[in-house]
Amino acid sequence: MKITGAVLCGGASNRMGEDKVTLDLLGRPMVQWVVEAMKQAGAETVVALGDRPDLKLPVLADKEPGSGPLGAIIGALEQYGTLLVCPCDIPTVSSEVLREIISHSQVVKEPVVLAHSGRLEPLIGVYKEESLGLLKLGYIRGARGPKTALRVEDYATVKVLPDQVKNVNTKEDFRSVLPQFEL
């Protein structure tokens, strides 16, 4: 199965107070940790979703400002087909976790496979090309995030540990993930 990595890079980083995408984490921009994990997991190409021409990645800007992550995912599905999706602010995500999600997506009938860390992680998963219609329907109905566009029968899940999918939204979050990177 051909799969494109899609890194969500469109947020404003208000809680962080600076750009999370390019925030330096041990000499590399935070987004690069996600990109490398996606490539090692099997993504043929990795693209940045959001208006980020400053990144060293192919970029797919939002067709419609304010369309949220759901609009970005829909646009990427239309452009690239099946996607492996992850936000730029989850540097702890590993290639093993992403590979497991990809593998599971190949054996289940559901059009979406998401990480579940004790709670659903709707921005970390595989969105098969077949999910496009149901996501568009959710968008037309007002959803701006995939969680509100998906029904339980639309997705399967892969259990992951919370530390494997920790969002880095604040300076405190950033400090809390640093020990995971220290040797």
Side-chain angles (χ1 to χ4, degrees):
M1 165 172 65
K2 180 182 181 262
I3 193 159
T4 299
V7 184
L8 294 160
C9 299
S13 300
N14 290 331
R15 290 178 280 175
M16 180 63 73
E18 63 182 287
D19 184 18
K20 291 190 292 187
V21 178
T22 58
L23 186 65
D24 184 272
L25 178 59
L26 301 179
R28 293 174 29 191
M30 189 158 36
V31 67
Q32 197 59 42
W33 293 92
V34 177
V35 169
E36 289 305 316
M38 286 183 157
K39 287 180 178 178
Q40 291 173 12
E44 292 183 23
T45 304
V46 178
V47 299
L49 304 185
D51 192 16
R52 295 305 304 247
D54 58 321
L55 302 179
K56 296 177 181 171
L57 293 171
V59 173
L60 183 61
D62 295 341
K63 285 192 226 179
E64 183 180 324
S67 61
L70 182 57
I73 292 168
I74 289 170
L77 278 166
E78 290 173 335
Q79 180 80 24
Y80 299 104
T82 298
L83 303 173
L84 173 62
V85 175
C86 187
C88 68
D89 61 357
I90 304 184
T92 58
V93 72
S94 69
S95 59
E96 291 81 13
V97 163
L98 297 176
R99 200 174 303 117
E100 186 175 347
I101 292 169
I102 291 169
S103 178
H104 195 59
S105 76
Q106 295 171 342
V107 297
V108 297
K109 65 176 177 27
E110 291 85 355
V112 178
V113 175
L114 301 173
H116 196 289
S117 64
R119 70 183 186 100
L120 190 63
E121 301 288 348
L123 299 180
I124 304 169
V126 168
Y127 285 82
K128 299 177 191 176
E129 204 164 353
E130 309 82 269
S131 68
L132 184 58
L134 66 97
L135 294 176
K136 281 183 170 182
L137 182 60
Y139 187 85
I140 289 167
R141 292 180 174 159
R144 292 303 176 256
K147 185 175 183 177
T148 54
L150 296 171
R151 300 164 303 167
V152 172
E153 60 268 19
D154 296 330
Y155 61 86
T157 61
V158 171
K159 289 185 181 182
V160 299
L161 298 173
D163 284 350
Q164 295 173 310
V165 293
K166 182 166 175 44
N167 268 94
V168 176
N169 289 315
T170 65
K171 300 273 187 198
E172 184 178 315
D173 293 340
F174 184 74
R175 285 188 294 275
S176 76
V177 300
L178 283 176
Q180 293 182 46
F181 293 90
E182 294 173 352
L183 300 176

